[in-house]
Amino acid sequence: MDITTLCIHGAKNNTHNTGAVSVPIYQSATFAHLGVGKSTGYDYSRVQNPTREYLEQTIAALENGIDALAFPTGMAAITALMELFSIGDHIIVSDDLYGGTLRLFENINKKNGLKFSAIDTSNIEEVKKHINPETKAIYIETPTNPTMVVTDIAAMAELAKANNLILIVDNTFLTPYYQQPLNLGADIVLHSGTKYLCGHNDTLAGFLVTNSKELSEKLRYIYKTTGSCLSPFDSWLLIRGIKTLAVRMDKQQENAMKIAGWLTTQEKVKKVYYIGLPTHKDYEVSKRQGKGFGSMISFEVDTEETARNLLERLNLILFAESLGGVESLITYPIYQTHADIPLEDRLARGINEKLLRLSVGLENADDLITDLAQALSKEESYEI
């Protein structure tokens, strides 16, 4: 079945026989037993709920995994994921991860005895140098947030398997519609479902997906024990959002391609980070491991003053955190998504006062360009 059809029809719905086209919201905390030792398959919603189960089966199918677990946020998913590891275990991670992920690793997981090496995972030789007897996993974002560095997933999977390591891939930016890391050898895929999977900037969610029965059983035990599960209503909102994932991603990418090209022609824009540009250093890797480039663009302007003026002059594009929704959002990473990263580390990764991150939405691309043009100019801003 084509993935565009799978987005709409999802998993097989075995939870009801009413003929309802929309999956019901089973807003129940518990389920009655038919008798001693007899169950409907649902006992308590922390363990499983029919609405959430349908969503999880749909996500697993989209990623070509055997199991998916739905969490209240992406950060909750990562928190549960880290429970796979024990005191003294070492994990290699991309050095340009989302700031909240690095904050969790540095301030929570390290306190609990885990060790991390943050490096450029697009350089496989550098990754090899950091593998030691305590290393248990490699954790990558590709492309990274916010400087759009691309890691070769298949090459990293080969290295991980040769060293008996778990390969974890954050696939939030490209989604299973454009990239399927499990097919390339990854063991676990992570999503902030808040972003493109939901697609409407109105729901928080996170996912872990695996094609390993062993990892599925371990994660399910952690999930049941810690209780960080997505609610039935939020599960239903994600089911609804995923139905339009394919058409949203294609339109947003079309807009992003046009805007990225325009940004490269602007005098005040000194650098454009978009993996769909042939000038991107990892363009060929992106083409090889995915079927699209997504709609996330970062760009560096000439001065901090230009960046601040742009943020204050925009009328259509919203100055807000998050990404992946139908509305275009612009973020100032150094003071928002990566504010908790030490300044020296931020600057070393190119996250400076001139860098902006743009999540391109579904608006007319020319309207978005007009808004950016007036915000970049010296003239007073005007209403669109």
Side-chain angles (χ1 to χ4, degrees):
M1 184 184 296
D2 187 82
I3 194 168
T4 57
T5 303
L6 189 58
C7 285
I8 295 168
H9 290 279
K12 187 175 181 181
N13 185 4
N14 293 320
T15 63
H16 68 100
N17 57 6
T18 65
V21 174
S22 177
V23 175
I25 302 170
Y26 288 87
Q27 194 63 48
S28 182
T30 190
F31 301 86
H33 294 280
L34 302 175
V36 177
K38 298 178 180 178
S39 170
T40 62
Y42 306 99
D43 301 314
Y44 194 63
S45 276
R46 171 163 46 81
V47 179
Q48 191 52 284
N49 174 281
T51 312
R52 189 170 76 242
E53 181 180 53
Y54 178 89
L55 169 64
E56 291 176 339
Q57 290 175 351
T58 297
I59 294 293
L62 289 171
E63 283 286 10
N64 200 25
I66 65 167
D67 194 16
L69 295 82
F71 295 82
T73 65
M75 292 309 303
I78 302 171
T79 300
L81 174 64
M82 289 299 108
E83 293 301 322
L84 286 173
F85 306 105
S86 303
I87 293 174
D89 285 352
H90 171 246
I91 304 171
I92 296 170
V93 305
S94 300
D95 61 0
D96 187 35
L97 294 175
Y98 163 59
T101 304
L102 289 171
R103 180 176 64 233
L104 175 71
F105 292 166
E106 288 292 321
N107 298 309
I108 303 296
N109 298 133
K110 275 190 175 180
K111 170 179 66 68
N112 294 335
L114 300 186
K115 302 174 184 177
F116 298 88
S117 293
I119 62 173
D120 177 7
T121 53
S122 70
N123 184 340
I124 196 163
E125 295 303 318
E126 190 66 20
V127 176
K128 289 178 181 178
K129 292 178 186 177
H130 285 80
I131 296 174
N132 63 55
E134 286 74 43
T135 306
K136 296 296 187 291
I138 301 172
Y139 181 113
I140 64 175
E141 273 182 4
T142 184
T144 61
N145 180 1
T147 59
M148 311 300 163
V149 176
V150 176
T151 295
D152 187 324
I153 299 172
M156 199 59 62
E158 185 177 348
L159 177 64
K161 284 176 173 53
N163 290 275
N164 197 29
L165 307 178
I166 298 171
L167 177 61
I168 303 156
V169 180
D170 185 330
N171 198 30
T172 298
F173 275 14
L174 292 184
T175 81
Y177 181 64
Y178 280 149
Q179 179 173 269
Q180 295 174 310
L182 295 179
N183 289 353
L184 297 168
D187 299 293
I188 298 173
V189 172
L190 164 77
H191 288 280
S192 173
T194 308
K195 312 306 193 294
Y196 290 100
L197 296 178
C198 171
H200 293 80
N201 288 321
D202 57 10
T203 310
L204 300 176
F207 295 96
L208 295 176
V209 193
T210 184
N211 54 9
S212 161
K213 183 179 179 182
E214 180 184 2
L215 287 172
S216 168
E217 290 174 353
K218 288 180 179 179
L219 289 169
R220 281 284 166 194
Y221 184 81
I222 293 166
Y223 192 56
K224 168 178 81 170
T225 304
T226 59
S228 189
C229 54
L230 191 64
S231 74
F233 182 66
D234 286 342
S235 295
W236 181 83
L237 287 172
L238 263 293
I239 292 168
R240 185 176 66 165
I242 289 167
K243 288 181 183 295
T244 60
L245 177 65
V247 291
R248 285 189 285 106
M249 293 294 290
D250 283 343
K251 176 58 178 175
Q252 285 170 287
Q253 176 176 260
E254 178 186 327
N255 283 350
M257 292 287 282
K258 188 171 185 177
I259 292 167
W262 177 83
L263 284 168
T264 63
T265 68
Q266 300 307 296
E267 183 180 353
K268 290 186 178 181
V269 176
K270 300 304 178 183
K271 195 168 187 179
V272 178
Y273 302 85
Y274 179 57
I275 65 170
L277 291 174
T279 52
H280 190 286
K281 71 180 184 69
D282 301 314
Y283 178 72
E284 293 301 325
V285 177
S286 294
K287 283 205 307 180
R288 186 170 65 247
Q289 68 187 18
K291 70 170 191 175
F293 305 108
S295 57
M296 293 302 301
I297 304 170
S298 291
F299 60 99
E300 187 175 307
V301 293
D302 54 355
T303 65
E304 180 179 358
E305 181 183 14
T306 297
R308 288 177 175 270
N309 286 341
L310 183 146
L311 292 170
E312 292 178 0
R313 290 173 177 172
L314 287 169
N315 294 311
L316 182 61
I317 299 169
L318 303 173
F319 177 22
E321 294 196 44
S322 200
L323 58 101
V326 296
E327 301 90 356
S328 293
L329 304 179
I330 194 164
T331 300
Y332 206 6
I334 195 167
Y335 294 122
Q336 289 181 293
T337 57
H338 290 69
D340 289 333
I341 307 302
L343 181 60
E344 183 178 346
D345 291 342
R346 277 178 274 170
L347 296 177
R349 294 165 188 160
I351 305 170
N352 55 43
E353 294 87 349
K354 298 177 286 185
L355 184 72
L356 299 165
R357 191 193 72 187
L358 176 63
S359 170
V360 180
L362 291 177
E363 303 93 341
N364 179 277
D366 290 335
D367 287 340
L368 296 173
I369 289 172
T370 297
D371 196 28
L372 287 165
Q374 64 84 19
L376 279 169
S377 73
K378 294 182 179 179
E379 301 172 2
E380 290 297 319
S381 60
Y382 56 91
E383 295 298 324
I384 291 179

